[in-house]
Amino acid sequence: MYRDQKDQYVQQMPEYRGRTELLKDGMADGRVALKIRNITFSDAGWYSCFFRSNVSYEEALIELKLAASGSDPLISVEDYQDEGIRIVCQAAGWYPEPELQWRDLNGNHLPSLFGKKSQSENGLFSIQHVLIITEKSIRNLSCSIRNRVLQQEKVSRVYVSDAFFPKVSPWLVALLHLAAFMFFSISLVIYFYWHQHKENVKLKENIKKLIEEIKWRKFRGYAVNFTLDPDTAHPELILSEDQKSVHHGDLRQNLPNNPERFDYSAIVLGSEGFTVGRHYWEVEVKDKTNWDLGVCLENVDRKKKIISSPSKGYWVIVQRAGDTYKALTEVRTSITVKVKPKQIGIFLDCGEGKVSFYNVTDGSHIHTFNAKFTGPVRPFFSPWYNEDGKNASPLKIRHVRDWE
């Protein structure tokens, strides 16, 4: 923050202290750059730059993406396998997770036998893909690894000569055919049992889904009816007359800067706080492509930038870009959603310390936080603009009886 011709550090987040600098050479022309030193992967994400005076306020968002270029792909010939030669391509020290591919001389993609990846404590990825080549297959190969953020690609090549493929005697060929027949017979038996196992797994998944849906319908019996608290609403948020819905406005309203109001982030809280018992409510999201929903502690700081996570007192899930869903855990957790939700159900169990989210559209479970609440918690809402920049449908609290 820069004010009164001085850098202001009082409100600076602890994790950025000593690492940032405002470059002011272009300030007279309306340009200021932020320099961040000792960068870490946790620095990635959205940043906002705002200018505020007595008569105007402007804000802009920019996303910081981090990437690391690792080692060249290393190709090694490891062993004989399945009447062919097993070759491995591996690389390390990349971020984000890179794309690794085998290709022939013409650049055509060759499917790997299998691949595996790992992520070290420092966040860098290692990746490995295995290919089996035979005497009759293409043996002039390349392995490429690509970083989609840097648009950078590294390639290594290998040629496997005839010397690696020993000649086989007719007796061995006959023996191999016999072994193949036995393998085929055994495979039929294995396939039968595998098919039965697959059906059992599918049945278990359906039972699990049914149990989750039954739990969700039971949780609806704890439905509460509340409104949004206008005293907490960020000045850019517009509440409906019945205080049941909220959307992001185009202008910052001139509202009293009371202690309860979120001044930095576009957030509004529910009017009711919960300390004991079980509580359930549903929120209509319709066609919105960006939103945040959940609960937060009553005593969170409402006047500075928020990084939502359980350690900061927030238990929140988000939708981004229309089809990306995440739980804002300490390390963000991706969520797979098979049916796009039109309504989100939220169940709060203060005694058990659980916050569960459900897709009301198909009754499926989305995510559950395990928490230990240190004070009252309140419903949390943050509507965003859609990907096209338009202010689509608002977030709307719907009482369970409204659906039924």
Side-chain angles (χ1 to χ4, degrees):
M1 181 175 289
Y2 186 78
R3 187 175 58 214
D4 300 329
Q5 299 183 355
K6 293 181 181 179
D7 288 305
Q8 307 291 330
Y9 296 105
V10 175
Q11 298 182 9
Q12 188 175 35
M13 299 169 62
E15 54 264 38
Y16 285 102
R17 286 176 186 165
R19 296 202 297 128
T20 63
E21 178 184 1
L22 284 179
L23 306 181
K24 313 177 189 71
D25 293 344
M27 184 173 288
D29 300 323
R31 300 191 310 275
V32 179
L34 171 66
K35 183 177 182 179
I36 306 177
R37 294 181 290 271
N38 301 325
I39 202 78
T40 66
F41 291 121
S42 63
D43 292 327
W46 287 94
Y47 289 75
S48 66
C49 172
F50 71 92
F51 169 85
R52 181 167 58 199
S53 70
N54 292 333
V55 295
S56 68
Y57 177 94
E58 292 292 340
E59 183 175 14
L61 294 175
I62 187 170
E63 185 180 12
L64 171 63
K65 295 182 178 181
L66 299 181
S69 177
S71 66
D72 290 351
L74 173 65
I75 300 175
S76 58
V77 179
E78 291 202 341
D79 203 351
Y80 292 98
Q81 181 178 337
D82 301 332
E83 298 185 9
I85 297 174
R86 173 191 175 102
I87 57 176
V88 178
C89 179
Q90 55 190 336
W94 290 80
Y95 186 90
E97 182 184 337
E99 299 172 356
L100 190 146
Q101 285 188 347
W102 285 103
R103 296 193 181 103
D104 61 18
L105 189 61
N106 297 320
N108 298 317
H109 171 63
L110 299 174
S112 303
L113 177 64
F114 69 87
K116 64 179 181 179
K117 63 183 178 182
S118 61
Q119 190 173 18
S120 61
E121 292 182 358
N122 61 9
L124 298 176
F125 283 91
S126 298
I127 191 168
Q128 179 184 101
H129 279 203
V130 175
L131 188 68
I132 303 296
I133 61 172
T134 64
E135 189 173 8
K136 296 181 180 180
S137 63
I138 298 170
R139 288 180 271 156
N140 198 336
L141 307 169
S142 68
C143 178
S144 67
I145 189 165
R146 183 174 182 272
N147 187 308
R148 62 181 180 273
V149 175
L150 298 177
Q151 295 296 311
Q152 179 188 46
E153 186 176 57
K154 294 184 178 182
V155 181
S156 296
R157 293 177 172 82
V158 66
Y159 175 76
V160 182
S161 67
D162 291 336
F164 284 90
F165 297 93
K167 302 303 179 183
V168 181
S169 69
W171 288 104
L172 183 57
V173 172
L175 182 61
L176 290 175
H177 279 100
L178 178 61
F181 174 75
M182 294 178 63
F183 176 78
F184 176 74
S185 301
I186 295 172
S187 297
L188 287 177
V189 177
I190 293 175
Y191 172 78
F192 172 77
Y193 284 104
W194 172 81
H195 183 73
Q196 290 295 109
H197 173 71
K198 185 178 179 181
E199 290 296 320
N200 290 338
V201 170
K202 185 177 180 180
L203 178 61
K204 289 180 180 179
E205 289 177 351
N206 289 336
I207 292 175
K208 182 179 178 181
K209 182 179 179 181
L210 179 60
I211 291 174
E212 288 293 345
E213 184 172 347
I214 292 173
K215 287 169 62 178
W216 163 64
R217 294 189 180 278
K218 177 183 176 182
F219 293 158
R220 296 183 100 196
Y222 296 96
V224 291
N225 193 11
F226 61 88
T227 58
L228 299 171
D229 184 355
D231 290 337
T232 66
H234 184 272
E236 292 179 5
L237 297 183
I238 309 297
L239 274 61
S240 62
E241 290 186 7
D242 62 359
Q243 297 179 357
K244 285 283 192 175
S245 65
V246 58
H247 70 273
H248 202 297
D250 296 324
L251 299 174
R252 187 181 180 92
Q253 304 171 88
N254 186 17
L255 299 175
N257 188 19
N258 52 288
E260 296 87 359
R261 191 177 309 283
F262 285 88
D263 183 58
Y264 191 96
S265 300
I267 295 169
V268 62
L269 302 183
S271 59
E272 189 171 351
F274 305 106
T275 56
V276 296
R278 296 176 173 181
H279 313 277
Y280 177 86
W281 62 94
E282 293 179 354
V283 182
E284 181 179 85
V285 297
K286 280 193 175 179
D287 57 353
K288 289 186 69 64
T289 58
N290 294 285
W291 48 258
D292 300 13
L293 290 171
V295 300
C296 70
L297 289 176
E298 173 80 53
N299 61 356
V300 294
D301 192 335
R302 308 182 187 188
K303 300 300 180 182
K304 66 180 183 180
K305 182 179 179 180
I306 292 171
I307 300 179
S308 298
S309 66
S311 63
K312 303 292 185 181
Y314 295 86
W315 295 268
V316 174
I317 66 169
V318 304
Q319 180 194 35
R320 295 288 182 269
D323 58 0
T324 300
Y325 299 84
K326 289 186 178 182
L328 299 188
T329 49
E330 306 302 330
V331 177
R332 301 325 197 197
T333 302
S334 295
I335 300 172
T336 300
V337 176
K338 295 181 179 180
V339 177
K340 182 179 176 64
K342 298 294 184 182
Q343 303 92 27
I344 299 295
I346 303 171
F347 176 67
L348 169 65
D349 189 331
C350 297
E352 293 291 332
K354 293 183 181 295
V355 186
S356 299
F357 298 83
Y358 289 86
N359 182 349
V360 179
T361 305
D362 66 352
S364 62
H365 173 253
I366 297 177
H367 184 76
T368 293
F369 287 97
N370 293 306
K372 187 175 182 180
F373 303 124
T374 57
V377 292
R378 296 175 68 175
F380 173 104
F381 303 80
S382 182
W384 287 53
Y385 286 101
N386 267 4
E387 287 298 293
D388 55 9
K390 296 180 180 179
N391 196 347
S393 302
L395 295 177
K396 185 172 184 179
I397 304 171
R398 295 295 299 268
H399 193 252
V400 171
R401 294 189 182 90
D402 294 339
W403 302 112
E404 297 175 343

